[in-house]
Amino acid sequence: IQAGRQEADPRYVQLVEAALDAIQDQHFKKVVMARSAALPLERQPDLWEIFESLCHSYPQAFISLVIDPELGIWIGASPEYL
């Protein structure tokens, strides 16, 4: 752990270790780990504004906006070429 950084969640560390084992065992060539964050909001965000901002800020990333009535709203920016 580097100075100034928070300690990693043990569940995330375990997941990364399992992914590395799976790669070593040649079950996968590559694994992309991800984390999520649920944030309380003071007001309803302008989703289109957020989406456009991500597109302009990260032009090489894959930007997604998914709205599902049961699962909620997901906004993502992946540096991976999909």
Side-chain angles (χ1 to χ4, degrees):
I1 299 173
Q2 297 176 351
R5 298 188 115 190
Q6 293 181 347
E7 188 170 329
D9 181 334
R11 296 171 295 178
Y12 188 77
V13 171
Q14 185 178 18
L15 185 61
V16 170
E17 289 171 350
L20 291 172
D21 289 342
I23 292 169
Q24 181 69 30
D25 294 340
Q26 298 183 346
H27 294 291
F28 303 106
K29 291 182 182 179
K30 175 180 176 180
V31 176
V32 178
M33 307 305 293
R35 299 183 202 200
S36 65
L39 306 172
L41 302 174
E42 294 179 11
R43 62 178 177 80
Q44 178 66 33
D46 182 334
L47 299 176
W48 184 248
E49 182 181 317
I50 294 170
F51 181 80
E52 283 188 318
S53 176
L54 286 171
C55 289
H56 292 293
S57 296
Y58 304 98
Q60 299 300 317
F62 175 78
I63 311 297
S64 61
L65 169 60
V66 178
I67 301 172
D68 183 284
E70 293 182 27
L71 299 175
I73 300 167
W74 295 72
I75 298 176
S78 173
E80 294 295 317
Y81 294 106
L82 303 176

